[in-house]
Amino acid sequence: MENCEGVIATERYGSHESWKYLLKDGRMRRKKDAEDSSPSGNSVSGAFKSVFLPQGYPESVSEDYLQYQLWDTLQAFSSSLSGTLATQASLRGVGVGNHEATVAAATITWLLRDGTGMLGRILFAWLKGSKLDSEAKKWRLFADILNDIAMFMEIAAPHFPPFFTLIVCLSGIFKSIVGVAGGATRAALTVHQARRNNMADISAKDGSQETLVNLAGLLVSLALIPLVTDNPLLTFTLFFLFTILHLFANYKAVRSVVMKTLNEARLSIVLHQYLLNGQLLSPVEANQKEPVFLSFRRTVPIKLGVRLCDIVQGPEDLQLALKNNNKTYLIGIRNGSVCVCLGSDASVHDEIMAACQALCLSTVLNNDASLAGALSQLSNTKDLWELVSKSHKMIDQIFRMFLKELEQATWQTERTLLDWNEWRVEWRKKRS
């Protein structure tokens, strides 16, 4: 053994560098692998990665991490500069530099702004908190658009002295909504980016990146402030330029995210393409088609996880809901909505199946001109309960293969981001 020479062991630090241990003349030496072209761990780039990127990058994060963070960095920088202009306007509005202004008046204005913002934060979290996971991209972009509107109001407020307090209070409400929506959707995106249960590390490094960007924004702002002081035209011009950059970077950031968990929008896109031509879209293809703006278009809404009384009004309705149905959910059409009542023993696959059937019914009821295949056959049925019964047969025929192809396309089918309410029901099966 003492006379053996050569490589006795190798080691690798993630994908960054590899080393080998050599035995020569009875001594062990550690040497960098000649085939490894990556920079040394103590280089400047290595130190930068260690400070600002999660440990194990890129293996420890999702494939879209770097592209998203680059666009997010650009939007944070432009938002920081816009925030400087808004802060200067707010201070001037409360009387900084004005000998006639009083400390009490400025304090009351600030307290009213903060107070209304706190109430807005609570109200928004109550009304929309459950939507922020399932539609993280839409609410992320909405939060940044609303933030720009709030900053514009702060910049404009000093030019309307009689309404200054009202305007900054409204701005405070908008910013509080931005805080809830932005923080919650950032957490949802962090869950998506984490590949090794390293959400805390990703969040911490995201904070470091944001701090660095804000520091750069602060340095630029120091040069900017003397130029815009007492120059409203330049202030508004720069604000609109920064806002355009901010919104563009935000749009590109949310567009770069490729989520493999199914929400209603992604499931609808994948399912309709599958029914149209049998092609199952990959996560990348479906995410590119997913809408990222909140839609106000009138469609037949889908309500998941409703009470039994939201679907059936009596035993006759229950028997109709059970026709051709041996599943762990009931589905019906009430008051212009497709409602799904989930059984207490339903699995995640059952939830996906129920959502698929509800999406099919919603599409048929919308009278979509692009209906094809099985959906076009359903559209000829006028009686609502008969439509539900036929949809049970259709989903039984397609779902097993559809689910198999979802898994083959690397979609996650063990968890979803479908917006289910908490009602769970047990019912007596149809008498034979």
Side-chain angles (χ1 to χ4, degrees):
M1 183 69 180
E2 293 181 359
N3 296 325
C4 293
E5 296 186 355
V7 179
I8 60 172
T10 60
E11 64 183 6
R12 173 176 292 274
Y13 185 82
S15 61
H16 298 297
E17 53 185 296
S18 57
W19 295 77
K20 55 187 177 182
Y21 290 85
L22 304 172
L23 185 65
K24 188 174 183 180
D25 299 330
R27 293 186 176 183
M28 187 173 71
R29 293 191 304 112
R30 184 172 182 262
K31 183 179 179 182
K32 188 172 175 60
D33 196 334
E35 297 179 359
D36 182 14
S37 59
S38 60
S40 175
N42 57 4
S43 65
V44 174
S45 63
F48 184 86
K49 289 180 179 179
S50 178
V51 173
F52 293 105
L53 295 176
Q55 181 175 317
Y57 171 86
E59 290 83 5
S60 62
V61 295
S62 59
E63 296 82 359
D64 54 16
Y65 176 83
L66 182 60
Q67 187 176 1
Y68 175 83
Q69 292 301 127
L70 288 175
W71 285 114
D72 190 54
T73 297
L74 181 59
Q75 70 86 15
F77 178 73
S78 56
S79 180
S80 175
L81 298 179
S82 297
T84 298
L85 300 177
T87 300
Q88 185 202 36
S90 295
L91 292 175
R92 186 170 68 252
V94 296
V96 174
N98 184 353
H99 298 293
E100 297 180 359
T102 64
V103 174
T107 303
I108 290 172
T109 300
W110 219 258
L111 290 175
L112 286 173
R113 189 193 72 161
D114 290 347
T116 52
M118 293 174 188
L119 293 175
R121 181 187 299 268
I122 294 171
L123 186 62
F124 179 77
W126 169 53
L127 293 173
K128 296 296 182 181
S130 62
K131 305 287 185 183
L132 301 179
D133 277 308
S134 58
E135 297 182 333
K137 293 183 186 180
K138 290 182 180 180
W139 286 106
R140 181 74 179 174
L141 192 56
F142 168 82
D144 287 299
I145 293 173
L146 193 62
N147 189 46
D148 287 332
I149 294 174
M151 287 191 289
F152 174 75
M153 292 172 67
E154 289 182 345
I155 292 174
H159 300 281
F160 303 92
F163 305 103
F164 177 81
T165 301
L166 176 62
I167 293 173
V168 296
C169 285
L170 286 174
S171 171
I173 293 174
F174 288 173
K175 284 198 169 184
S176 69
I177 294 174
V178 170
V180 175
T185 52
R186 177 62 236 186
L189 292 173
T190 301
V191 172
H192 157 71
Q193 292 174 336
R195 287 293 180 264
R196 294 180 181 172
N197 294 322
N198 55 340
M199 291 178 288
D201 186 26
I202 290 176
S203 181
K205 295 302 168 56
D206 182 66
S208 296
Q209 296 167 21
E210 187 171 346
T211 301
L212 181 65
V213 171
N214 288 336
L215 181 61
L218 177 65
L219 295 176
V220 175
S221 297
L222 289 175
L224 206 61
I225 289 299
L227 300 176
V228 299
T229 301
D230 298 325
N231 192 338
L233 179 60
L234 182 59
T235 299
F236 280 104
T237 301
L238 289 175
F239 173 77
F240 282 119
L241 290 175
F242 294 149
T243 298
I244 291 171
L245 178 61
H246 179 237
L247 294 178
F248 175 74
N250 267 296
Y251 175 79
K252 296 293 288 185
V254 295
R255 268 286 173 228
S256 69
V257 175
V258 179
M259 287 188 166
K260 296 184 178 182
T261 44
L262 292 164
N263 65 358
E264 186 177 316
R266 290 188 286 273
L267 181 59
S268 177
I269 291 167
V270 173
L271 178 63
H272 288 151
Q273 186 69 36
Y274 182 80
L275 292 174
L276 184 64
N277 57 16
Q279 175 192 2
L280 197 128
L281 299 177
S282 68
V284 173
E285 293 169 328
N287 275 267
Q288 286 300 312
K289 294 185 175 184
E290 181 185 5
V292 293
F293 293 100
L294 292 174
S295 175
F296 300 99
R297 185 168 59 93
R298 291 183 63 84
T299 59
V300 176
I302 296 173
K303 299 179 181 179
L304 303 175
V306 301
R307 301 168 299 175
L308 182 62
C309 62
D310 292 326
I311 293 180
V312 301
Q313 302 298 310
E316 297 82 8
D317 284 346
L318 180 58
Q319 295 308 312
L320 289 171
L322 290 169
K323 184 180 179 181
N324 295 325
N325 179 16
N326 58 357
K327 306 174 185 66
T328 57
Y329 61 87
L330 300 175
I331 192 165
I333 302 167
R334 284 284 174 190
N335 300 321
S337 300
V338 179
C339 302
V340 181
C341 185
L342 197 64
S344 56
D345 57 343
S347 66
V348 176
H349 289 178
D350 293 327
E351 293 180 3
I352 297 174
M353 187 181 195
C356 286
Q357 189 173 347
L359 285 166
C360 289
L361 288 171
S362 176
T363 303
V364 170
L365 294 172
N366 277 324
N367 297 317
D368 195 329
S370 62
L371 292 178
L375 292 184
S376 63
Q377 297 175 11
L378 289 179
S379 64
N380 296 325
T381 306
K382 302 303 179 183
D383 182 77
L384 295 181
W385 280 119
E386 187 63 25
L387 176 62
V388 170
S389 176
K390 288 185 177 181
S391 72
H392 281 303
K393 291 182 179 180
M394 185 202 71
I395 207 70
D396 285 335
Q397 293 172 359
I398 69 168
F399 183 73
R400 189 183 298 274
M401 183 57 66
F402 177 68
L403 181 65
K404 182 179 179 181
E405 294 195 28
L406 278 178
E407 293 170 344
Q408 290 175 347
T410 71
W411 285 100
Q412 291 185 16
T413 58
E414 299 306 315
R415 61 179 290 265
T416 70
L417 291 174
L418 297 169
D419 188 22
W420 287 93
N421 208 339
E422 296 304 311
W423 291 103
R424 298 295 180 269
V425 182
E426 295 182 10
W427 58 86
R428 184 183 301 175
K429 301 298 181 182
K430 182 179 178 180
R431 298 183 183 92
S432 59

